[in-house]
Amino acid sequence: MKMTDAISRAGGKCELCGSEGELSLFAVPASGDRRDNEIALCATCSGQIADTDTLDVNHWRCLNDSMWSQVPAVQVMAARMLKELASETWAQDLLDMLYLDEDTQAWVDAAAAEAALDADAAPTLDSNGTQLAAGDTVVIIKDLNVKGTSFVAKRGTAVRNIGLTSNPEHIEGRVNGTRIVILSCYVKKS
């Protein structure tokens, strides 16, 4: 895709935050030979994606709109950024609402798998030091007050099909029908 095609499609606005100004082409990482993986981004979004240590959490509230884009590459990037911000209650809520078709979800999952294989990434360990993987089932070992809700995740609760995050100390899972982030030191692999 030519840069002018992506910018034309975007209407001269950043495809993630909607800001106008100078846009650059960003290739959303994808496995295989995808030709539809380029999106138009502003300098703020590009810079924060390149260096996640500089994330301005409030800037990314724009994902509330861009996650509904009809462009798969924009949906994938929105999902990735929401996962990066999953410790924020609003981002977790948006992730719970997000619907992706099978191909787009596979694109997001493939990127997560590649990130998990990154040599620099520390493994996610449970309370016993056992390495956890996406899809594992764990048991909560301590009653946990869940921020932003009125319930307690009780000790002994099984959490099936967990997800890993970019932080090796956190896992994601569904408890009482709500997707939450749990510290890995409070679970054990079953």
Side-chain angles (χ1 to χ4, degrees), residues 28-175:
V28 179
S31 57
D33 184 28
R34 290 194 75 110
R35 297 191 184 278
D36 61 345
N37 69 326
E38 297 174 327
I39 60 176
L41 295 182
C42 67
T44 303
C45 289
S46 296
Q48 290 187 36
I49 289 169
D51 183 9
T52 56
D53 292 337
T54 65
L55 282 181
D56 174 8
V57 174
N58 286 323
H59 172 77
W60 293 103
R61 289 182 182 266
C62 61
L63 297 174
N64 185 41
D65 296 325
S66 57
M67 69 186 224
W68 303 112
S69 171
Q70 296 300 311
V71 179
V74 175
Q75 292 175 340
V76 168
M77 203 62 230
R80 289 181 184 174
M81 292 311 297
L82 286 171
K83 286 185 180 212
E84 183 73 31
L85 298 162
S87 61
E88 299 291 323
T89 304
W90 63 266
Q92 190 61 53
D93 291 343
L94 291 179
L95 266 174
D96 289 342
M97 287 190 295
L98 182 63
Y99 172 78
L100 302 173
D101 63 40
E102 288 182 30
D103 291 339
T104 307
Q105 185 63 51
W107 188 354
V108 172
D109 293 342
E114 286 177 25
L117 294 176
D118 186 0
D120 296 334
T124 301
L125 305 176
D126 71 359
S127 61
N128 296 326
T130 304
Q131 186 167 345
L132 298 173
D136 283 348
T137 297
V138 297
V139 175
I140 298 174
I141 62 169
K142 175 185 175 185
D143 287 352
L144 302 172
N145 291 324
V146 181
K147 290 182 181 177
T149 68
S150 61
F151 72 88
V152 174
K154 296 287 187 183
R155 185 177 129 211
T157 301
V159 182
R160 292 172 176 70
N161 197 22
I162 65 166
L164 301 181
T165 68
S166 59
N167 184 339
E169 296 177 1
H170 295 164
I171 62 168
E172 295 178 347
R174 209 168 270 288
V175 176

